[in-house]
Amino acid sequence: MLEKWRNHHALLLVTLTAASSAGFAQAHVDAVHSAASFSSKLLETFKSSGVAILSVGPVWENAGNTQTLYLTPTIKKTYAANHTSHVLVDGDVFLGIQKPLREKLEGQIGLSVATTGNASLSGYIWDDAQAQFNNYTYSYKVKHTHVALKGKLLAERGYILTPWVNGSLGVGFNQAYDYSNTPTIIPAIAMPNFASNTTTAFTYTVGAGFQRSFNAHWQGGLGYEFADWGKSQLGRASGQTLNNGLSLSHLYTNGFLFNLTYLA
Protein backbone atom coordinates (compact mmCIF):
# COMPACT_ATOMS: atom_id res chain seq x y z
CA MET A 1 0.00 0.00 0.00
CA LEU A 2 2.80 2.36 0.94
CA GLU A 3 4.62 1.45 -2.27
CA LYS A 4 1.55 2.36 -4.35
CA TRP A 5 1.23 5.70 -2.62
CA ARG A 6 4.90 6.46 -3.35
CA ASN A 7 4.50 5.57 -7.00
CA HIS A 8 1.37 7.71 -7.29
CA HIS A 9 3.13 10.62 -5.61
CA ALA A 10 6.11 10.31 -7.91
CA LEU A 11 3.86 10.24 -10.99
CA LEU A 12 2.05 13.35 -9.76
CA LEU A 13 5.34 15.18 -9.27
CA VAL A 14 6.50 14.26 -12.78
CA THR A 15 3.18 15.44 -14.25
CA LEU A 16 3.30 18.76 -12.35
CA THR A 17 6.92 19.32 -13.32
CA ALA A 18 6.18 18.66 -16.99
CA ALA A 19 3.16 20.97 -16.91
CA SER A 20 5.16 23.66 -15.18
CA SER A 21 7.97 23.37 -17.73
CA ALA A 22 5.52 23.52 -20.61
CA GLY A 23 3.85 26.59 -19.13
CA PHE A 24 7.20 28.27 -18.60
CA ALA A 25 8.26 27.48 -22.17
CA GLN A 26 5.00 28.89 -23.55
CA ALA A 27 5.41 32.03 -21.46
CA HIS A 28 8.95 32.38 -22.74
CA VAL A 29 7.78 32.01 -26.34
CA ASP A 30 5.05 34.61 -25.79
CA ALA A 31 7.55 36.99 -24.25
CA VAL A 32 9.90 36.56 -27.22
CA HIS A 33 7.04 37.22 -29.66
CA SER A 34 6.00 40.33 -27.72
CA ALA A 35 9.56 41.65 -27.67
CA ALA A 36 9.94 40.99 -31.40
CA SER A 37 6.66 42.77 -32.14
CA PHE A 38 7.66 45.75 -30.01
CA SER A 39 11.08 45.93 -31.68
CA SER A 40 9.46 45.80 -35.11
CA LYS A 41 7.10 48.64 -34.24
CA LEU A 42 9.96 50.66 -32.76
CA LEU A 43 12.08 50.21 -35.87
CA GLU A 44 9.12 51.18 -38.04
CA THR A 45 8.64 54.33 -35.96
CA PHE A 46 12.23 55.43 -36.52
CA LYS A 47 12.50 54.15 -40.08
CA SER A 48 13.47 56.99 -42.39
CA SER A 49 15.18 57.68 -45.69
CA GLY A 50 17.53 60.47 -46.67
CA VAL A 51 16.07 63.03 -49.07
CA ALA A 52 17.56 65.86 -51.13
CA ILE A 53 15.48 68.40 -53.07
CA LEU A 54 16.56 71.06 -55.54
CA SER A 55 13.94 73.75 -56.28
CA VAL A 56 14.22 76.61 -58.75
CA GLY A 57 11.78 78.95 -60.46
CA PRO A 58 10.47 82.49 -60.98
CA VAL A 59 9.06 84.61 -58.13
CA TRP A 60 7.50 88.05 -58.17
CA GLU A 61 7.92 91.02 -55.82
CA ASN A 62 6.50 94.55 -55.84
CA ALA A 63 8.10 95.84 -52.65
CA GLY A 64 8.37 99.44 -51.56
CA ASN A 65 6.86 101.70 -48.93
CA THR A 66 6.59 105.48 -49.03
CA GLN A 67 8.61 106.85 -46.11
CA THR A 68 9.33 110.28 -44.69
CA LEU A 69 12.67 110.72 -42.95
CA TYR A 70 14.46 113.48 -41.08
CA LEU A 71 18.07 113.19 -42.18
CA THR A 72 19.12 116.06 -39.93
CA PRO A 73 17.05 118.28 -37.64
CA THR A 74 16.44 120.66 -40.58
CA ILE A 75 16.39 118.29 -43.60
CA LYS A 76 13.20 116.33 -44.19
CA LYS A 77 12.50 114.22 -47.26
CA THR A 78 9.76 111.88 -48.45
CA TYR A 79 10.70 108.80 -50.46
CA ALA A 80 7.64 107.97 -52.57
CA ALA A 81 7.94 104.33 -53.66
CA ASN A 82 7.05 102.86 -57.02
CA HIS A 83 5.03 99.65 -56.89
CA THR A 84 6.16 97.82 -59.99
CA SER A 85 6.35 94.03 -60.06
CA HIS A 86 9.67 92.41 -60.87
CA VAL A 87 10.50 88.82 -61.70
CA LEU A 88 13.35 87.18 -59.76
CA VAL A 89 14.93 83.73 -59.85
CA ASP A 90 14.67 81.76 -56.62
CA GLY A 91 16.73 78.66 -55.76
CA ASP A 92 16.50 76.31 -52.77
CA VAL A 93 18.46 73.24 -51.65
CA PHE A 94 16.89 70.98 -49.00
CA LEU A 95 18.62 68.11 -47.16
CA GLY A 96 16.72 66.02 -44.64
CA ILE A 97 14.89 62.79 -43.91
CA GLN A 98 11.57 61.32 -44.98
CA LYS A 99 9.53 58.84 -42.94
CA PRO A 100 5.99 57.48 -42.81
CA LEU A 101 3.82 59.25 -40.23
CA ARG A 102 0.71 57.13 -40.70
CA GLU A 103 -0.93 55.16 -43.48
CA LYS A 104 -0.69 57.07 -46.78
CA LEU A 105 1.01 60.08 -45.13
CA GLU A 106 4.74 60.81 -45.38
CA GLY A 107 6.69 63.56 -43.63
CA GLN A 108 9.97 65.31 -44.38
CA ILE A 109 12.08 67.52 -42.14
CA GLY A 110 15.51 69.04 -42.63
CA LEU A 111 17.52 72.15 -43.40
CA SER A 112 16.90 74.45 -46.34
CA VAL A 113 19.33 76.98 -47.84
CA ALA A 114 17.79 79.42 -50.31
CA THR A 115 18.86 82.46 -52.27
CA THR A 116 16.95 84.85 -54.51
CA GLY A 117 17.87 87.32 -57.21
CA ASN A 118 18.02 91.06 -56.57
CA ALA A 119 14.78 92.82 -55.72
CA SER A 120 14.83 96.27 -57.35
CA LEU A 121 13.22 99.15 -55.47
CA SER A 122 12.78 102.68 -56.77
CA GLY A 123 10.76 105.87 -56.42
CA TYR A 124 10.84 109.65 -56.14
CA ILE A 125 12.32 111.97 -53.52
CA TRP A 126 10.30 115.00 -52.38
CA ASP A 127 12.30 117.79 -50.82
CA ASP A 128 10.78 119.08 -47.57
CA ALA A 129 8.33 116.15 -47.84
CA GLN A 130 6.27 118.15 -50.39
CA ALA A 131 5.03 116.49 -53.59
CA GLN A 132 5.52 119.70 -55.58
CA PHE A 133 9.25 119.43 -54.86
CA ASN A 134 9.63 116.12 -56.65
CA ASN A 135 13.25 116.80 -57.58
CA TYR A 136 14.96 113.37 -57.48
CA THR A 137 14.54 109.70 -58.27
CA TYR A 138 16.14 106.92 -56.26
CA SER A 139 16.80 103.22 -56.63
CA TYR A 140 18.47 100.39 -54.74
CA LYS A 141 18.52 96.61 -54.52
CA VAL A 142 17.92 93.94 -51.88
CA LYS A 143 19.57 90.53 -52.04
CA HIS A 144 18.08 87.74 -49.89
CA THR A 145 19.57 84.50 -48.55
CA HIS A 146 18.25 82.33 -45.74
CA VAL A 147 18.86 79.16 -43.74
CA ALA A 148 15.71 77.53 -42.37
CA LEU A 149 14.19 74.46 -40.75
CA LYS A 150 11.76 73.11 -43.33
CA GLY A 151 9.02 70.51 -43.14
CA LYS A 152 6.83 68.85 -45.76
CA LEU A 153 3.75 66.57 -45.71
CA LEU A 154 2.98 64.29 -48.65
CA ALA A 155 -0.34 62.48 -49.15
CA GLU A 156 0.47 59.11 -50.77
CA ARG A 157 -2.96 58.19 -52.16
CA GLY A 158 -1.79 55.89 -54.93
CA TYR A 159 -2.45 58.45 -57.67
CA ILE A 160 -0.06 59.47 -60.44
CA LEU A 161 0.49 62.82 -58.69
CA THR A 162 1.25 63.16 -54.98
CA PRO A 163 -0.01 66.41 -53.39
CA TRP A 164 2.03 68.10 -50.68
CA VAL A 165 2.25 71.15 -48.43
CA ASN A 166 5.37 72.60 -46.83
CA GLY A 167 6.62 75.41 -44.64
CA SER A 168 9.83 76.76 -43.18
CA LEU A 169 11.07 79.04 -40.40
CA GLY A 170 14.55 80.46 -40.39
CA VAL A 171 17.10 83.24 -40.37
CA GLY A 172 17.38 85.54 -43.37
CA PHE A 173 20.23 87.78 -44.47
CA ASN A 174 18.98 90.79 -46.44
CA GLN A 175 21.62 92.89 -48.13
CA ALA A 176 20.37 96.36 -49.14
CA TYR A 177 22.90 97.93 -51.49
CA ASP A 178 23.64 99.94 -54.64
CA TYR A 179 21.54 102.94 -53.58
CA SER A 180 21.68 105.93 -55.91
CA ASN A 181 19.76 109.17 -56.40
CA THR A 182 19.43 111.21 -59.56
CA PRO A 183 18.26 114.85 -59.88
CA THR A 184 15.27 115.40 -62.16
CA ILE A 185 15.76 119.17 -62.49
CA ILE A 186 18.86 121.11 -63.53
CA PRO A 187 19.39 123.18 -60.33
CA ALA A 188 19.33 120.09 -58.10
CA ILE A 189 22.55 118.25 -57.31
CA ALA A 190 22.93 114.63 -56.27
CA MET A 191 22.78 114.01 -52.52
CA PRO A 192 25.00 111.64 -50.53
CA ASN A 193 23.85 108.07 -50.98
CA PHE A 194 22.66 105.76 -48.23
CA ALA A 195 25.26 103.15 -47.32
CA SER A 196 24.89 99.44 -48.03
CA ASN A 197 23.82 97.33 -45.08
CA THR A 198 23.00 93.68 -44.31
CA THR A 199 20.17 92.94 -41.87
CA THR A 200 19.60 89.62 -40.10
CA ALA A 201 15.87 88.90 -39.98
CA PHE A 202 13.24 86.27 -39.23
CA THR A 203 11.98 84.69 -42.44
CA TYR A 204 9.38 82.08 -43.35
CA THR A 205 7.83 80.34 -46.34
CA VAL A 206 4.64 78.36 -47.01
CA GLY A 207 3.85 76.36 -50.10
CA ALA A 208 1.80 73.65 -51.78
CA GLY A 209 2.12 71.56 -54.90
CA PHE A 210 2.36 68.07 -56.37
CA GLN A 211 5.04 65.68 -57.54
CA ARG A 212 5.38 62.46 -59.50
CA SER A 213 7.71 59.51 -59.05
CA PHE A 214 9.92 58.53 -61.99
CA ASN A 215 11.39 55.50 -60.22
CA ALA A 216 12.27 54.35 -56.69
CA HIS A 217 14.68 57.25 -56.17
CA TRP A 218 13.79 60.19 -58.40
CA GLN A 219 10.72 62.45 -58.30
CA GLY A 220 9.81 65.71 -59.99
CA GLY A 221 7.12 68.30 -59.34
CA LEU A 222 5.85 71.85 -59.27
CA GLY A 223 4.73 74.02 -56.37
CA TYR A 224 3.60 77.49 -55.34
CA GLU A 225 5.54 79.30 -52.62
CA PHE A 226 4.88 82.45 -50.60
CA ALA A 227 7.88 83.94 -48.79
CA ASP A 228 8.49 86.75 -46.33
CA TRP A 229 12.10 87.91 -46.41
CA GLY A 230 11.69 89.93 -43.24
CA LYS A 231 13.32 93.28 -42.52
CA SER A 232 15.87 95.09 -44.70
CA GLN A 233 17.48 98.49 -44.20
CA LEU A 234 20.03 100.80 -45.77
CA GLY A 235 22.70 102.49 -43.65
CA ARG A 236 23.14 106.20 -43.02
CA ALA A 237 24.37 108.56 -45.70
CA SER A 238 27.40 110.80 -45.22
CA GLY A 239 26.42 113.79 -43.07
CA GLN A 240 23.16 112.15 -41.89
CA THR A 241 22.65 112.61 -38.13
CA LEU A 242 19.13 111.26 -37.62
CA ASN A 243 17.54 107.86 -38.35
CA ASN A 244 18.96 105.31 -40.78
CA GLY A 245 18.41 104.72 -44.46
CA LEU A 246 15.29 103.45 -46.16
CA SER A 247 13.87 100.28 -44.64
CA LEU A 248 11.24 97.61 -45.18
CA SER A 249 9.64 95.63 -42.35
CA HIS A 250 8.70 92.88 -44.82
CA LEU A 251 9.44 91.97 -48.40
CA TYR A 252 7.01 89.42 -49.83
CA THR A 253 7.41 87.20 -52.89
CA ASN A 254 5.06 84.80 -54.68
CA GLY A 255 6.21 82.27 -57.22
CA PHE A 256 6.25 78.82 -58.77
CA LEU A 257 9.16 76.47 -58.18
CA PHE A 258 10.08 73.33 -60.11
CA ASN A 259 11.53 70.69 -57.81
CA LEU A 260 13.65 67.60 -58.33
CA THR A 261 13.78 65.12 -55.45
CA TYR A 262 16.23 62.30 -54.75
CA LEU A 263 15.14 59.73 -52.16
CA ALA A 264 17.90 57.46 -50.85
Side-chain angles (χ1 to χ4, degrees), residues 49-72:
S49 303
V51 60
I53 303 174
L54 172 65
S55 302
V56 64
V59 298
W60 287 262
E61 61 81 17
N62 60 350
N65 292 326
T66 296
Q67 303 168 59
T68 297
L69 299 177
Y70 276 96
L71 306 182
T72 71

Side-chain angles (χ1 to χ4, degrees), residues 1-26:
M1 185 70 178
L2 180 59
E3 186 65 26
K4 282 186 176 182
W5 181 85
R6 286 177 178 171
N7 291 338
H8 179 73
H9 183 67
L11 182 60
L12 181 61
L13 286 176
V14 170
T15 303
L16 290 174
T17 301
S20 177
S21 298
F24 176 78
Q26 184 61 44

Side-chain angles (χ1 to χ4, degrees), residues 21 28 39 45 48-50 65 69 83 88 102 107 120 127-129 149 155 157 173 195 213-214 234 256 262:
S21 298
H28 180 69
S39 298
T45 299
S48 61
S49 303
N65 292 326
L69 299 177
H83 294 282
L88 317 175
R102 57 169 58 184
S120 298
D127 285 335
D128 298 326
L149 180 66
R157 300 296 180 182
F173 306 95
S213 295
F214 302 132
L234 288 161
F256 294 95
Y262 177 78

Side-chain angles (χ1 to χ4, degrees), residues 103-118:
E103 187 180 3
K104 298 182 180 180
L105 183 65
E106 299 275 336
Q108 295 176 357
I109 190 166
L111 285 179
S112 167
V113 178
T115 187
T116 310
N118 299 318

Side-chain angles (χ1 to χ4, degrees), residues 17 53 63-64 75 84 94 143 153 160 188 192 197 211 235 249 251 260:
T17 301
I53 303 174
I75 298 178
T84 304
F94 171 85
K143 172 72 173 178
L153 293 175
I160 295 177
N197 180 62
Q211 62 192 50
S249 297
L251 197 159
L260 181 64

Side-chain angles (χ1 to χ4, degrees), residues 34-252:
S34 297
S37 177
F38 175 78
S39 298
S40 177
K41 290 180 180 179
L42 189 63
L43 288 174
E44 185 66 26
T45 299
F46 290 100
K47 180 182 178 182
S48 61
S49 303
V51 60
I53 303 174
L54 172 65
S55 302
V56 64
V59 298
W60 287 262
E61 61 81 17
N62 60 350
N65 292 326
T66 296
Q67 303 168 59
T68 297
L69 299 177
Y70 276 96
L71 306 182
T72 71
T74 58
I75 298 178
K76 178 182 179 184
K77 296 185 182 294
T78 290
Y79 297 83
N82 290 325
H83 294 282
T84 304
S85 294
H86 300 95
V87 181
L88 317 175
V89 176
D90 181 87
D92 181 294
V93 175
F94 171 85
L95 295 175
I97 59 172
Q98 177 172 316
K99 66 182 298 296
L101 300 178
R102 57 169 58 184
E103 187 180 3
K104 298 182 180 180
L105 183 65
E106 299 275 336
Q108 295 176 357
I109 190 166
L111 285 179
S112 167
V113 178
T115 187
T116 310
N118 299 318
S120 298
L121 297 95
S122 62
Y124 299 92
I125 304 174
W126 303 344
D127 285 335
D128 298 326
Q130 301 294 320
Q132 63 267 34
F133 301 133
N134 182 8
N135 298 331
Y136 299 85
T137 61
Y138 74 88
S139 66
Y140 72 101
K141 299 174 182 177
V142 177
K143 172 72 173 178
H144 173 76
T145 302
H146 74 240
V147 179
L149 180 66
K150 192 171 189 177
K152 186 175 184 179
L153 293 175
L154 304 96
E156 298 284 357
R157 300 296 180 182
Y159 303 134
I160 295 177
L161 299 178
T162 299
W164 53 260
V165 294
N166 67 10
S168 71
L169 301 172
V171 179
F173 306 95
N174 298 320
Q175 181 188 17
Y177 71 102
D178 199 24
Y179 176 89
S180 65
N181 68 92
T182 303
T184 57
I185 59 173
I186 294 177
I189 58 175
M191 300 175 290
N193 290 323
F194 291 122
S196 299
N197 180 62
T198 298
T199 303
T200 302
F202 169 75
T203 185
Y204 68 89
T205 66
V206 292
F210 58 86
Q211 62 192 50
R212 178 179 180 179
S213 295
F214 302 132
N215 53 45
H217 297 289
W218 291 99
Q219 302 171 354
L222 175 67
Y224 163 81
E225 183 174 86
F226 169 84
D228 180 1
W229 293 7
K231 183 178 180 179
S232 61
Q233 186 168 50
L234 288 161
R236 282 186 173 184
S238 176
Q240 182 179 351
T241 59
L242 296 177
N243 300 304
N244 287 302
L246 296 176
S247 66
L248 294 174
S249 297
H250 302 275
L251 197 159
Y252 302 117

